[in-house]
Short mmCIF file of all heavy atoms in Angstrom, two decimals:
data_model
loop_
_atom_site.label_atom_id
_atom_site.label_comp_id
_atom_site.label_asym_id
_atom_site.label_seq_id
_atom_site.Cartn_x
_atom_site.Cartn_y
_atom_site.Cartn_z
N ARG N 13 21.30 3.50 -1.19
CA ARG N 13 21.28 4.40 -0.05
C ARG N 13 19.95 4.38 0.72
O ARG N 13 19.90 4.74 1.87
CB ARG N 13 21.58 5.83 -0.52
CG ARG N 13 23.07 6.03 -0.76
CD ARG N 13 23.41 7.48 -0.79
NE ARG N 13 23.21 8.06 -2.11
CZ ARG N 13 22.91 9.33 -2.33
NH1 ARG N 13 22.74 10.15 -1.32
NH2 ARG N 13 22.77 9.78 -3.56
N VAL N 14 18.91 4.01 0.03
CA VAL N 14 17.63 3.95 0.72
C VAL N 14 17.28 2.50 1.00
O VAL N 14 17.56 1.62 0.18
CB VAL N 14 16.54 4.68 -0.11
CG1 VAL N 14 16.27 3.97 -1.41
CG2 VAL N 14 15.27 4.85 0.68
N HIS N 22 5.24 -7.95 -0.36
CA HIS N 22 4.85 -7.72 1.03
C HIS N 22 3.39 -7.34 1.19
O HIS N 22 2.98 -6.80 2.22
CB HIS N 22 5.78 -6.68 1.65
CG HIS N 22 7.20 -7.12 1.60
ND1 HIS N 22 7.72 -8.03 2.49
CD2 HIS N 22 8.19 -6.87 0.70
CE1 HIS N 22 8.97 -8.30 2.16
NE2 HIS N 22 9.28 -7.60 1.08
N ASP N 54 7.46 -2.25 -7.44
CA ASP N 54 8.24 -1.50 -6.45
C ASP N 54 7.42 -0.30 -6.01
O ASP N 54 6.89 0.44 -6.84
CB ASP N 54 9.55 -1.00 -7.07
CG ASP N 54 10.59 -2.10 -7.14
OD1 ASP N 54 10.46 -3.08 -6.38
OD2 ASP N 54 11.52 -1.98 -7.96
N ARG N 104 -12.17 21.66 -10.95
CA ARG N 104 -13.16 20.79 -10.27
C ARG N 104 -13.12 21.04 -8.76
O ARG N 104 -14.15 21.08 -8.09
CB ARG N 104 -12.84 19.33 -10.61
CG ARG N 104 -13.79 18.26 -10.09
CD ARG N 104 -15.05 18.09 -10.90
NE ARG N 104 -14.87 17.82 -12.32
CZ ARG N 104 -14.74 16.62 -12.88
NH1 ARG N 104 -14.74 15.53 -12.12
NH2 ARG N 104 -14.62 16.47 -14.18
N PHE N 108 -16.00 22.07 -5.58
CA PHE N 108 -16.22 21.43 -4.26
C PHE N 108 -16.08 22.46 -3.14
O PHE N 108 -16.91 22.52 -2.23
CB PHE N 108 -15.23 20.28 -4.04
CG PHE N 108 -15.66 19.00 -4.68
CD1 PHE N 108 -15.28 18.70 -5.99
CD2 PHE N 108 -16.45 18.08 -4.01
CE1 PHE N 108 -15.67 17.52 -6.60
CE2 PHE N 108 -16.85 16.90 -4.60
CZ PHE N 108 -16.46 16.61 -5.91
N THR N 113 -18.39 26.54 2.00
CA THR N 113 -18.05 27.81 2.66
C THR N 113 -18.60 27.82 4.08
O THR N 113 -19.53 27.05 4.38
CB THR N 113 -18.68 28.96 1.88
OG1 THR N 113 -20.10 28.72 1.83
CG2 THR N 113 -18.13 29.05 0.45
N CYS N 156 -28.27 14.75 2.55
CA CYS N 156 -29.17 14.82 1.39
C CYS N 156 -30.02 16.08 1.44
O CYS N 156 -30.17 16.77 0.42
CB CYS N 156 -30.05 13.57 1.32
SG CYS N 156 -29.10 12.11 0.83
N GLN N 165 -38.13 9.14 3.95
CA GLN N 165 -37.80 8.57 5.26
C GLN N 165 -37.54 7.06 5.18
O GLN N 165 -36.61 6.55 5.80
CB GLN N 165 -38.96 8.88 6.23
CG GLN N 165 -38.82 8.31 7.63
CD GLN N 165 -37.48 8.67 8.27
OE1 GLN N 165 -36.94 9.75 8.05
NE2 GLN N 165 -36.94 7.75 9.07
N SER N 166 -38.34 6.39 4.34
CA SER N 166 -38.22 4.92 4.24
C SER N 166 -36.90 4.49 3.59
O SER N 166 -36.50 3.34 3.68
CB SER N 166 -39.40 4.36 3.45
OG SER N 166 -39.42 4.96 2.16
N PHE N 182 -12.74 0.11 1.33
CA PHE N 182 -11.52 0.57 0.66
C PHE N 182 -10.30 -0.30 0.86
O PHE N 182 -9.47 -0.43 -0.04
CB PHE N 182 -11.25 2.07 0.88
CG PHE N 182 -10.67 2.49 2.21
CD1 PHE N 182 -9.37 2.14 2.57
CD2 PHE N 182 -11.40 3.29 3.07
CE1 PHE N 182 -8.83 2.57 3.77
CE2 PHE N 182 -10.87 3.72 4.27
CZ PHE N 182 -9.59 3.35 4.62
N ARG N 188 -16.48 -7.91 1.51
CA ARG N 188 -16.61 -6.50 1.92
C ARG N 188 -16.37 -5.59 0.71
O ARG N 188 -16.99 -4.55 0.57
CB ARG N 188 -15.62 -6.22 3.06
CG ARG N 188 -15.74 -4.87 3.70
CD ARG N 188 -15.36 -4.93 5.19
NE ARG N 188 -14.01 -5.35 5.44
CZ ARG N 188 -12.93 -4.55 5.48
NH1 ARG N 188 -13.05 -3.25 5.27
NH2 ARG N 188 -11.73 -5.02 5.75
N ALA N 195 -22.99 -1.36 -3.51
CA ALA N 195 -23.50 -0.13 -2.90
C ALA N 195 -23.25 1.06 -3.82
O ALA N 195 -24.11 1.91 -4.03
CB ALA N 195 -22.84 0.10 -1.54
N ASN N 197 -22.76 1.01 -7.13
CA ASN N 197 -23.61 0.93 -8.32
C ASN N 197 -25.02 1.41 -8.04
O ASN N 197 -25.60 2.16 -8.81
CB ASN N 197 -23.65 -0.51 -8.85
CG ASN N 197 -22.30 -0.93 -9.43
OD1 ASN N 197 -21.46 -0.08 -9.74
ND2 ASN N 197 -22.08 -2.23 -9.53
N HIS N 240 -23.50 10.81 -15.45
CA HIS N 240 -22.88 9.82 -14.56
C HIS N 240 -21.76 10.46 -13.74
O HIS N 240 -21.68 10.27 -12.52
CB HIS N 240 -22.35 8.63 -15.36
CG HIS N 240 -21.68 7.61 -14.50
ND1 HIS N 240 -20.32 7.48 -14.46
CD2 HIS N 240 -22.18 6.73 -13.59
CE1 HIS N 240 -19.99 6.54 -13.59
NE2 HIS N 240 -21.11 6.07 -13.05
N GLU N 245 -19.54 12.72 -8.63
CA GLU N 245 -19.01 13.84 -7.83
C GLU N 245 -19.99 14.29 -6.75
O GLU N 245 -19.57 14.69 -5.67
CB GLU N 245 -18.60 15.01 -8.74
CG GLU N 245 -17.48 14.68 -9.73
CD GLU N 245 -16.13 14.34 -9.09
OE1 GLU N 245 -16.08 13.72 -8.01
OE2 GLU N 245 -15.08 14.67 -9.71
N ALA N 264 -16.93 9.82 20.92
CA ALA N 264 -17.64 9.26 22.06
C ALA N 264 -16.72 8.33 22.86
O ALA N 264 -16.74 8.33 24.10
CB ALA N 264 -18.88 8.50 21.59
N VAL N 292 -9.11 13.99 18.26
CA VAL N 292 -9.82 12.78 17.79
C VAL N 292 -9.35 12.44 16.38
O VAL N 292 -9.02 11.29 16.07
CB VAL N 292 -11.36 12.99 17.82
CG1 VAL N 292 -12.07 11.89 17.02
CG2 VAL N 292 -11.87 13.02 19.25
N GLN N 318 11.46 7.14 -9.57
CA GLN N 318 11.46 6.95 -11.03
C GLN N 318 10.06 7.12 -11.58
O GLN N 318 9.08 6.66 -10.98
CB GLN N 318 11.99 5.55 -11.37
CG GLN N 318 13.49 5.46 -11.16
CD GLN N 318 13.97 4.03 -11.09
OE1 GLN N 318 13.17 3.08 -11.01
NE2 GLN N 318 15.27 3.86 -11.10
N GLU N 319 10.01 7.81 -12.71
CA GLU N 319 8.73 8.10 -13.36
C GLU N 319 7.81 6.89 -13.36
O GLU N 319 8.21 5.79 -13.71
CB GLU N 319 9.00 8.55 -14.81
CG GLU N 319 7.73 8.99 -15.50
CD GLU N 319 7.98 9.52 -16.92
OE1 GLU N 319 9.10 10.01 -17.18
OE2 GLU N 319 7.05 9.45 -17.72
N ARG N 344 -4.18 13.79 23.93
CA ARG N 344 -3.97 15.03 24.69
C ARG N 344 -4.39 16.25 23.88
O ARG N 344 -3.57 16.88 23.21
CB ARG N 344 -2.49 15.17 25.05
CG ARG N 344 -2.06 14.18 26.11
CD ARG N 344 -0.69 14.42 26.69
NE ARG N 344 0.03 15.57 26.21
CZ ARG N 344 1.34 15.70 26.27
NH1 ARG N 344 2.09 14.73 26.76
NH2 ARG N 344 1.93 16.78 25.84
N TRP N 351 0.09 24.39 18.89
CA TRP N 351 0.39 23.78 17.60
C TRP N 351 0.74 24.87 16.57
O TRP N 351 0.15 25.94 16.56
CB TRP N 351 -0.83 22.97 17.15
CG TRP N 351 -0.73 22.39 15.79
CD1 TRP N 351 0.32 21.69 15.28
CD2 TRP N 351 -1.72 22.47 14.77
NE1 TRP N 351 0.02 21.30 13.99
CE2 TRP N 351 -1.20 21.76 13.65
CE3 TRP N 351 -3.00 23.02 14.69
CZ2 TRP N 351 -1.93 21.64 12.46
CZ3 TRP N 351 -3.70 22.88 13.52
CH2 TRP N 351 -3.18 22.20 12.42
N GLN N 357 1.83 18.44 9.00
CA GLN N 357 2.06 17.59 10.19
C GLN N 357 0.78 16.86 10.62
O GLN N 357 0.81 15.70 11.00
CB GLN N 357 2.51 18.45 11.37
CG GLN N 357 3.84 19.12 11.16
CD GLN N 357 4.28 19.93 12.36
OE1 GLN N 357 3.54 20.07 13.35
NE2 GLN N 357 5.48 20.47 12.29
N GLY N 364 -1.17 20.03 2.86
CA GLY N 364 -1.06 21.11 1.89
C GLY N 364 -2.27 22.02 1.89
O GLY N 364 -3.09 22.00 2.81
N GLN N 421 -29.83 3.85 28.68
CA GLN N 421 -30.37 4.74 29.74
C GLN N 421 -30.31 6.21 29.31
O GLN N 421 -29.92 7.08 30.09
CB GLN N 421 -29.54 4.60 31.04
CG GLN N 421 -29.51 3.23 31.63
CD GLN N 421 -30.78 2.92 32.41
OE1 GLN N 421 -31.49 3.84 32.87
NE2 GLN N 421 -31.12 1.67 32.54
#
Side-chain angles (χ1 to χ4, degrees):
R13 282 198 275 152
V14 66
H22 301 281
D54 281 339
R104 184 80 55 89
F108 278 90
T113 57
C156 288
Q165 177 52 34
S166 58
F182 77 68
R188 187 148 61 87
N197 291 341
H240 178 255
E245 297 296 35
V292 166
Q318 287 163 350
E319 185 176 334
R344 289 190 3 202
W351 175 48
Q357 296 182 355
Q421 300 281 336

